[in-house]
Amino acid sequence: MQHIDQIVSLIKDKLQGTLSPEKELILEKILLDHPRLKEIFQEFDSSERILHAVSEYQQFLHVHAQEREEVLLHDLLIKVKQQGHHQGADTFRYPIKRRRYLYLAASCFMIFLLAGYLILEPQRKSQYLHHKMIADFDPGKKRALLSMDNGEKIVLSDAHEGISLMGALSYTDGTVLADEREIAAKVMTLRVPRGGEYQVVLSDGTHVWLNADSKLIYPQSFAKNQREVTLVGEAYFEVSIDKNRPFIVHTEDQKVEVLGTHFNITAYPEEAVSLVSLVEGKVRVSHENQPAHLLIPGQQAAFRDGQIQVYPVHMEEFTAWKKGEFIFNNEPLSTVIQKLARWYDVELILDEKLKNMKIWGSIGRNSRFSHVLRLIKMTDEDIHYKIEGRRVTFMK
């Protein structure tokens, strides 16, 4: 660590304008030998912020080891940005908690990367670059298939966000697909494949965002007394208020009754738990003969092993996908890779030893897969992966 401290000192002197010509040459050589180091510095918005981070780092070295480890585990994975600063899709962010550690995390992040690149780089450089090049899968995009009960199918354009059933069948920008009189089907199914996402505005004005590997079954127009749809997979709903017609979402495990609200449902058949997460309004969640549970905003209903449990959650973690982001807050790698596999349309296999490893951090859904691998590797440098076509095997 002494070598790292010397580099931090060079950085500080450089920013303060007190770096001697001899030390200037030393710093230039370091930056020349390690181009990634320049990128790290560019992640800080100003020289003042770096100086502040360096100063805090000096104090942070004296913090109790256990507390320092806790902060590192939580914060090192996330790139520090000022609130309100524009963030690109390929950046790590600081979305969760411990904002009092902002500058501590900044300095630790810098020191962590310095240590990684200046000490461990020689033994892993070629392996990392090799993985990065062959594993750079594209993220998902707008993709969907609209099927009708009369057998008609329409491959929907990836140039549009979604479709609307309010009047004519059209894309959400108004481009008409079919006049209302031309739609012979009574029931429609919107299927979003792995590596896709799409939106639909239903005939009552309800807006639904579908995540990858999901489908929504709904009528061309709702009945006069109620509105019912069926979901397989994950979707975010903004239900149009209609007190005379309750809105009902059926999944394999639960029935969700709504009057007017915003909520997210995750109900993939292959997953052991299905979730209803309420952002605003009220929903009633039920399963067969069990008592119904009324949720208030900030609560989540989880169905597991035939039982429904309700508890408070950080809602942004479960709705981030709708805003183009992955947020992982102490989440097991086993569930993280399920989300990644659907979005990047890849097969991800996890060694048993890694299933309970926890992931912290956030990354844009438009990021290429190599950036995701980098985040996972930053969690534990002992994680290795083997790539065969579109199959990635993680091991330790």
Side-chain angles (χ1 to χ4, degrees), residues 253 286-292 303 306 308:
D253 298 318
S286 60
H287 171 72
E288 296 180 348
N289 298 323
Q290 292 187 22
F303 179 85
I308 297 176

Side-chain angles (χ1 to χ4, degrees), residues 229-255:
V229 301
T230 299
L231 171 69
V232 178
E234 183 168 25
Y236 184 92
F237 292 81
E238 290 186 357
V239 176
S240 180
I241 297 176
D242 187 339
K243 295 182 179 180
N244 298 319
R245 292 192 299 173
F247 193 96
I248 299 173
V249 182
H250 296 277
T251 70
E252 182 179 9
D253 298 318
Q254 300 179 87
K255 176 182 176 182

Side-chain angles (χ1 to χ4, degrees), residues 3-4 7 29-40 112-129 381:
H3 181 52
I4 302 301
I7 296 173
K29 186 178 187 306
I30 291 172
L31 296 179
L32 183 63
D33 292 342
H34 306 281
R36 175 66 180 120
L37 197 52
K38 285 186 176 180
E39 298 178 26
I40 296 171
F112 175 81
L113 289 181
L114 281 168
Y117 281 91
L118 301 179
I119 297 174
L120 301 177
E121 183 181 26
Q123 60 187 2
R124 71 170 190 262
K125 182 176 180 181
S126 60
Q127 179 187 28
Y128 172 78
L129 291 176
E381 282 296 335

Side-chain angles (χ1 to χ4, degrees), residues 12 29 32 79 86-87 99 126 156 197 214 221 225 238 246 269 309 316 328 396:
K12 185 175 181 179
K29 186 178 187 306
L32 183 63
K79 187 173 70 177
H86 176 72
Q87 299 169 333
R99 295 192 180 274
S126 60
L156 298 173
E197 62 180 0
S214 302
S221 60
N225 59 341
E238 290 186 357
Q309 292 184 320
E316 65 273 9
F328 306 124
K396 190 170 183 179

Side-chain angles (χ1 to χ4, degrees), residues 347-396:
E347 181 183 2
L348 302 181
I349 301 172
L350 196 61
D351 188 291
E352 287 289 334
K353 299 176 183 177
L354 297 172
K355 288 189 174 180
N356 293 321
M357 189 189 80
K358 299 298 192 296
I359 295 290
W360 287 271
S362 128
I363 189 169
R365 276 163 62 97
N366 286 334
S367 303
R368 295 176 69 83
F369 191 69
S370 59
H371 291 79
V372 176
L373 286 178
R374 206 167 70 197
L375 184 146
I376 294 174
K377 285 285 287 181
M378 286 174 68
T379 304
D380 188 337
E381 282 296 335
D382 291 332
I383 295 177
H384 303 287
Y385 48 89
K386 179 175 65 174
I387 301 163
E388 301 168 300
R390 297 191 72 84
R391 175 188 295 173
V392 182
T393 303
F394 294 92
M395 62 203 80
K396 190 170 183 179

Side-chain angles (χ1 to χ4, degrees), residues 135-192:
D136 215 7
F137 305 129
D138 290 330
K141 61 180 182 179
K142 308 299 180 186
R143 298 170 60 195
L145 175 69
L146 180 64
S147 303
M148 318 219 184
D149 60 0
N150 62 0
E152 185 179 356
K153 295 183 179 180
I154 303 175
V155 178
L156 298 173
S157 170
D158 60 6
H160 296 273
E161 298 285 330
I163 57 172
S164 172
L165 285 173
M166 298 190 69
L169 173 61
S170 63
Y171 288 112
T172 48
D173 69 348
T175 304
V176 176
L177 280 164
D179 187 273
E180 189 174 11
R181 294 167 297 180
E182 299 174 352
I183 303 175
K186 294 183 178 180
V187 179
M188 299 180 175
T189 301
L190 183 63
R191 288 182 173 85
V192 177

Side-chain angles (χ1 to χ4, degrees), residues 42-325:
Q42 291 169 358
E43 302 301 345
F44 294 87
D45 299 309
S46 67
S47 59
E48 289 78 12
R49 293 193 65 227
I50 300 179
L51 283 172
H52 197 156
V54 170
S55 175
E56 293 288 348
Y57 166 67
Q58 304 296 338
Q59 300 176 33
F60 191 60
L61 289 177
H62 301 291
V63 176
H64 189 274
Q66 183 177 355
E67 183 180 358
R68 182 163 70 249
E69 180 181 1
E70 181 184 357
V71 176
L72 285 171
L73 285 175
H74 180 79
D75 295 319
L76 287 179
L77 305 181
I78 307 164
K79 187 173 70 177
V80 179
K81 289 285 187 180
Q82 286 183 321
Q83 282 187 312
H85 183 68
H86 176 72
Q87 299 169 333
D90 288 344
T91 61
F92 302 130
R93 289 182 267 266
Y94 192 86
I96 305 171
K97 55 184 177 178
R98 296 185 186 274
R99 295 192 180 274
R100 70 181 184 275
Y101 287 128
L102 183 62
Y103 289 113
L104 298 184
S107 59
C108 290
F109 182 80
M110 178 169 26
I111 301 310
F112 175 81
L113 289 181
L114 281 168
Y117 281 91
L118 301 179
I119 297 174
L120 301 177
E121 183 181 26
Q123 60 187 2
R124 71 170 190 262
K125 182 176 180 181
S126 60
Q127 179 187 28
Y128 172 78
L129 291 176
H130 177 63
H131 284 173
K132 182 177 180 180
M133 286 187 293
I134 65 176
D136 215 7
F137 305 129
D138 290 330
K141 61 180 182 179
K142 308 299 180 186
R143 298 170 60 195
L145 175 69
L146 180 64
S147 303
M148 318 219 184
D149 60 0
N150 62 0
E152 185 179 356
K153 295 183 179 180
I154 303 175
V155 178
L156 298 173
S157 170
D158 60 6
H160 296 273
E161 298 285 330
I163 57 172
S164 172
L165 285 173
M166 298 190 69
L169 173 61
S170 63
Y171 288 112
T172 48
D173 69 348
T175 304
V176 176
L177 280 164
D179 187 273
E180 189 174 11
R181 294 167 297 180
E182 299 174 352
I183 303 175
K186 294 183 178 180
V187 179
M188 299 180 175
T189 301
L190 183 63
R191 288 182 173 85
V192 177
R194 290 165 63 92
E197 62 180 0
Y198 224 72
Q199 305 172 23
V200 58
V201 180
L202 303 177
S203 60
D204 67 331
T206 291
H207 200 154
V208 185
W209 287 258
L210 279 174
N211 205 348
D213 198 15
S214 302
K215 71 176 179 180
L216 185 72
I217 303 170
Y218 52 91
Q220 190 270 330
S221 60
F222 287 114
K224 293 182 179 180
N225 59 341
Q226 68 180 18
R227 300 168 287 170
E228 292 189 83
V229 301
T230 299
L231 171 69
V232 178
E234 183 168 25
Y236 184 92
F237 292 81
E238 290 186 357
V239 176
S240 180
I241 297 176
D242 187 339
K243 295 182 179 180
N244 298 319
R245 292 192 299 173
F247 193 96
I248 299 173
V249 182
H250 296 277
T251 70
E252 182 179 9
D253 298 318
Q254 300 179 87
K255 176 182 176 182
V256 182
E257 299 179 61
V258 185
L259 285 177
T261 191
H262 296 188
F263 59 97
N264 193 84
I265 297 181
T266 306
Y268 287 101
E270 67 274 15
E271 294 188 6
V273 182
S274 59
L275 306 170
V276 179
S277 309
L278 182 61
V279 177
E280 63 178 67
K282 291 182 180 179
V283 297
R284 183 181 293 108
V285 182
S286 60
H287 171 72
E288 296 180 348
N289 298 323
Q290 292 187 22
H293 296 264
L294 186 64
L295 301 189
I296 61 175
Q299 287 186 331
Q300 183 179 84
F303 179 85
R304 184 201 301 266
D305 299 329
Q307 301 292 323
I308 297 176
Q309 292 184 320
V310 177
Y311 40 78
V313 295
H314 295 291
M315 202 56 59
E316 65 273 9
E317 298 170 24
F318 299 91
T319 60
W321 69 268
K322 171 182 169 286
K323 301 174 183 177
E325 195 173 18

